[in-house]
């Protein structure tokens, strides 16, 4: 519709979140601690696997490290934008305040997706990129412009896909009222993204490439960075993203049609 | 004793009704919790594709992680999140007015879900029995009795550990941060990542000194037959130790905490 309008709105919401968060500065340290401990244990876990082998699904330790960095960055995005918003939609529906949102002169999906942004998990994103950088240095790969551009493109597709999946889950909360369990289901499924999709065999790999596309989320961006991405994979990434974003949008529209106001 | 029995019967009926109401969510929750062990299993299968590693072949890994699935479902506890919300929103107060202690209400909920999970998973295990011998374990009654006791003790430890953590909410608003840290440590130390013998030596050295192995890894090792003989008995002894410790800790924390607690909202 009006892309600039939404971009300014997004920036505004982001600024608002920063000023909100400045009230809770100790959250920053809590977050740093959380981030560091989760990365530490992820590394220890990898160590346990690599004590027994030199490669998992054809990926070396450093390559999996890049993937872990991508995973961490995406996890940061979830904590910043996706998780803070999903819980609220149910409350809006239950309390009837959802009607007020439908009345606002912005797209309801946009508003509900981005109204509440939490700033501090940005440490997860930064640490994720740090890990990627560290792995790049210890592998000694040539970082070229093409490499980085391809990585950023694939990473962007990962973020979009993540958003679409999350949006579909969020829309499901029209029917399943205890949303904690939806987010729990997502977090569990997201765990599959910690490892390259090559780890999974047969039908499972297809499932994780096309249905719950963890391949698009972490495998392809990491492969793009280490130079192992094939054109076929890049194409799959673009296609899956396009389909999922469209499905998420249509699903939202359908759900809205079924929505009948509660109370007030 | 008789009144307590009635309290449980009544509370469990209520929780069962709630469970049925949210059956979709319950199912989601159950499926969701299966994924992490299956992911880890997939990694181990990929690693051991070329042959046995560390004394475990593909079939051993499958049995191990099926046992993890089984035990983890039966020792789950989610009280920290629920109690944190209740403390924050002040709804805890109304439960404090009830004639029986709050923990009985919580345990009743926990039991209802575990009964359902237990029956479902036992049925699944039995259905799988004729199709694949990966799931075959010894059916010796003595062995099965030990397995059941180990799982029961594990779930007592896990539950009381979680409940004690929840009690910290009386003193700090950062209770969930502590819980998250414990989860991360537990993931690594309880045997969810790998059988205990795969963990680095320094981790194995701490085995007896943290509760984590005893609330998951130990019953799993008993089921898969990796722990046997006298080690089983000393293991059960350590489990009893941890269970008693956390129960005692609960009494202290609950009574101190209540004195500290002042309700907000309602």
């Amino acid at each position: 519709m009006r892309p600039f309008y939404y971009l300014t709105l997004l920036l505004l919401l982001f600024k608002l979140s920063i000023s909100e968060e400045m009230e809770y500065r100790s959250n920053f340290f809590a977050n740093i601690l959380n981030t560091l401990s989760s990365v530490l244990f992820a590394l220890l876990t990898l160590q346990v696997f690599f004590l027994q082998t030199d490669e998992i699904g054809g990926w070396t330790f450093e390559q999996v490290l890049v993937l872990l960095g991508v995973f961490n960055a995406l996890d940061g995005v979830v904590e910043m934008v996706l998780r803070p918003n999903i819980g609220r939609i149910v409350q809006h529906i239950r309390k009837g305040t959802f009607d007020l949102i439908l009345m606002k002169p912005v797209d309801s999906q946009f508003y509900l997706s981005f109204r509440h942004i939490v700033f501090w998990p940005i440490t997860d994103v930064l640490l994720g990129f740090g890990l990627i950088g560290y792995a790049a240095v210890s592998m000694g790969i040539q970082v070229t412009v093409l490499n980085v551009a391809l990585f950023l493109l694939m990473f962007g597709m990962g973020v979009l896909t993540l958003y679409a999946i999350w949006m579909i889950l969020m829309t499901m909360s029209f029917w399943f009222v205890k949303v904690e369990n939806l987010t729990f289901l997502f977090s569990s499924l997201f765990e599959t993204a910690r490892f390259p999709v090559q780890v999974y065999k047969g039908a499972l790999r297809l499932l994780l490439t096309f249905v719950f596309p963890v391949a698009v989320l972490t495998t392809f961006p990491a492969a793009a960075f280490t130079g192992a991405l094939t054109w076929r994979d890049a194409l799959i990434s673009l296609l899956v993203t396009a389909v999922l974003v469209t499905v998420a949008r249509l699903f939202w529209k359908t759900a809205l049609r079924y929505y009948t106001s509660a109370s007030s | 004793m008789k009144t307590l029995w009635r309290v449980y019967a009544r509370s469990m009926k209520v929780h069962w009704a709630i469970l049925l109401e949210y059956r979709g969510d319950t199912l989601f929750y159950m499926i969701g919790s299966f994924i992490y062990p299956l992911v880890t299993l997939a990694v181990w299968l990929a690693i051991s594709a070329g042959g046995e590693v560390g004394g475990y072949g593909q079939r051993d890994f499958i049995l191990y992680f099926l046992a993890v699935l089984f035990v983890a479902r039966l020792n789950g506890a989610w009280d920290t999140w629920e109690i944190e919300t209740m403390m924050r929103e002040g709804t805890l107060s109304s439960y404090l007015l009830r004639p029986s202690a709050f923990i009985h209400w919580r345990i009743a909920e926990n039991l209802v879900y575990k009964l359902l999970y237990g029956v479902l998973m036992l049925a699944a295990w039995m259905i799988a029995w004729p199709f694949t011998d990966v799931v075959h374990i010894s059916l010796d009654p003595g062995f099965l009795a030990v397995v059941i006791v180990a799982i029961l003790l594990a779930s007592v430890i896990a539950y009381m550990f979680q409940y004690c953590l929840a009690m910290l909410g009386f003193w700090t608003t950062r209770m969930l941060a502590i819980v998250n840290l414990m989860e991360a440590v537990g993931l690594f130390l309880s045997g969810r990542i790998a059988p205990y013998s795969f963990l680095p030596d320094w981790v194995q050295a701490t085995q007896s000194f943290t509760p984590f192995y005893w609330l998951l890894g130990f019953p799993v090792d008993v089921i898969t037959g990796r722990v046997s003989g006298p080690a089983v008995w000393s293991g059960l002894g350590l489990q009893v130790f941890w269970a008693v410790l956390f129960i005692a800790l609960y009494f202290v924390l609950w009574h101190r905490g209540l004195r500290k607690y002042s309700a907000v909202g309602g």
Side-chain angles (χ1 to χ4, degrees):
Chain A
M1 202 164 59
R2 286 165 294 171
F4 269 117
Y5 174 67
Y6 281 101
L7 212 60
T8 14
L9 210 56
L10 193 61
L11 272 177
L12 207 66
L13 289 174
F14 200 68
K15 263 190 216 155
L16 187 68
S17 93
I18 294 178
S19 53
E20 261 174 16
E21 292 265 341
M22 284 305 160
E23 280 185 60
Y24 308 101
R25 262 162 300 204
S26 65
N27 271 354
F28 171 70
F29 294 102
N31 247 302
I32 286 269
L33 217 65
N34 209 340
T35 305
L36 286 179
S37 67
S38 75
V39 167
L40 178 73
F41 282 104
L43 286 177
L44 281 173
T45 304
L46 277 192
Q47 196 209 347
V48 170
F49 291 135
F50 279 96
L51 273 178
Q52 310 292 339
T53 179
D54 299 327
E55 46 94 27
I56 298 177
W59 291 55
T60 63
F61 180 71
E62 283 85 3
Q63 285 170 333
V64 178
L65 221 52
V66 172
L67 193 132
L68 190 66
V70 174
F71 177 85
N72 225 61
L74 285 179
D75 198 39
V77 173
V78 169
E79 297 300 327
M80 280 177 84
V81 185
L82 303 180
R83 199 182 292 280
N85 289 291
I86 190 171
R88 313 210 185 222
I89 179 170
V90 175
Q91 287 179 7
H92 284 309
I93 292 173
R94 250 198 316 229
K95 292 182 183 161
T97 46
F98 191 64
D99 300 11
L100 300 178
I101 292 164
L102 291 178
M103 301 292 289
K104 285 189 201 303
V106 281
D107 185 82
S108 56
Q109 183 186 340
F110 173 85
Y111 184 86
L112 280 166
S113 309
F114 300 113
R115 171 60 190 85
H116 298 276
I117 297 171
V118 180
F119 183 66
W120 294 130
I122 197 144
T123 52
D124 286 294
V125 181
L126 295 179
L127 195 75
F129 283 117
L131 263 181
I132 298 172
Y134 169 76
V137 172
S138 63
M139 259 188 299
I141 42 173
Q142 293 286 327
V143 181
T144 61
V145 179
L146 181 73
N147 236 355
V148 172
L150 199 57
F151 166 71
L152 286 179
L153 177 69
M154 287 296 113
F155 186 71
M157 292 301 127
V159 172
L160 274 178
T161 304
L162 191 65
Y163 171 71
I165 294 172
W166 197 269
M167 199 58 222
I168 290 169
L169 279 181
M170 192 155 141
T171 310
M172 277 174 161
S173 64
F174 274 89
W175 292 279
F176 300 100
V177 189
K178 265 192 176 175
V179 75
E180 297 86 5
N181 293 343
L182 283 177
T183 54
F184 175 78
L185 182 68
F186 170 82
S187 314
S188 311
L189 283 171
F190 193 43
E191 289 294 328
T192 53
R194 274 181 191 277
F195 300 101
V197 79
Q198 285 82 2
V199 164
Y200 310 102
K201 299 272 172 284
L204 196 57
R205 188 186 300 180
L206 288 181
L207 215 67
L208 291 175
T209 308
F210 297 105
V211 182
F212 186 85
V214 298
V216 177
L217 295 180
T218 54
T219 307
F220 295 160
F225 191 79
T226 56
L229 189 76
T230 61
W231 287 109
R232 185 177 149 272
D233 289 348
L235 201 67
I236 290 176
S237 169
L238 292 176
L239 275 177
V240 168
T241 308
V243 169
L244 268 180
V245 169
T246 317
V247 166
R249 180 68 182 169
L250 289 177
F251 189 35
W252 175 254
K253 286 281 184 196
T254 317
L256 279 189
R257 222 175 306 136
Y258 282 100
Y259 169 71
T260 49
S261 177
S263 81
S264 66
Chain B
M1 202 61 211
K2 208 175 158 212
T3 36
L4 198 61
W5 181 251
R6 277 179 49 209
V7 166
Y8 271 90
R10 202 55 65 79
S11 316
M12 284 172 78
K13 238 181 227 165
V14 175
H15 285 302
W16 177 250
I18 299 174
L19 186 156
L20 284 186
E21 175 94 32
Y22 292 105
R23 53 192 177 275
D25 299 281
T26 309
L27 200 70
F28 262 140
Y29 197 80
M30 184 158 167
I31 297 170
S33 68
F34 286 168
I35 293 170
Y36 191 81
L38 291 180
V39 168
T40 319
L41 172 61
V43 176
W44 280 116
L45 287 182
I47 291 173
S48 64
E52 237 177 53
V53 288
Y56 279 75
Q58 302 242 307
R59 299 158 58 88
D60 301 314
F61 278 120
I62 294 175
L63 179 63
Y64 182 86
F65 283 100
L66 282 181
V68 167
L69 261 182
F70 192 79
V71 177
R73 222 46 325 255
L74 293 178
N75 77 2
W78 47 90
D79 293 78
T80 42
W81 289 275
E82 301 259 341
I83 292 176
E84 199 264 348
T85 314
M86 286 180 170
M87 284 177 176
R88 189 156 36 83
E89 294 178 353
T91 45
L92 181 63
S93 315
S94 67
Y95 290 94
L96 295 181
L97 292 174
R98 294 189 179 189
S100 64
F102 180 55
I103 194 170
H104 296 312
W105 170 254
R106 299 294 319 163
I107 292 179
E109 181 194 72
N110 200 274
L111 285 179
V112 165
Y113 281 86
K114 282 176 182 173
L115 281 178
L116 175 74
Y117 293 146
V119 169
L120 285 181
M121 287 189 306
L122 216 55
W125 200 291
M126 285 192 310
I127 291 170
W129 193 277
F131 293 102
T132 166
D133 57 358
V134 173
V135 298
H136 286 196
I137 53 170
S138 160
L139 288 181
D140 172 53
F143 171 76
L144 288 182
V146 168
V147 166
I148 290 170
V149 170
I151 292 178
L152 280 178
L153 280 171
S155 64
V156 171
I157 299 170
Y159 187 81
M160 293 314 292
F161 184 32
Q162 172 99 178
Y163 208 88
C164 287
L165 285 176
M167 292 300 99
L168 296 181
F170 283 127
W171 286 273
T172 168
T173 52
R174 291 243 172 269
M175 178 257 280
L176 281 185
I178 302 172
V179 173
N180 281 336
L181 188 67
M182 282 296 159
E183 291 260 299
V185 178
L187 204 60
F188 192 65
L189 292 189
S190 65
R192 276 167 192 263
I193 302 294
Y196 227 71
S197 56
F198 283 72
L199 299 182
D201 291 338
W202 61 270
V203 175
Q204 293 194 37
T206 64
Q207 191 179 43
S208 308
F209 303 104
T210 72
F212 298 107
Y213 176 70
W214 309 104
L215 56 77
L216 183 77
F218 176 68
V220 169
D221 280 347
V222 172
I223 293 173
T224 57
R226 296 279 161 168
V227 172
S228 54
V232 173
W233 301 110
S234 57
L236 287 175
L238 264 165
Q239 276 194 307
V240 170
F241 165 76
W242 281 106
V244 170
L245 184 79
F246 281 127
I247 292 172
L249 196 63
Y250 153 73
F251 278 109
V252 175
L253 288 175
W254 174 250
H255 290 292
R256 292 265 165 104
L258 272 193
R259 250 178 277 156
K260 176 102 176 132
Y261 176 67
S262 66
V264 191

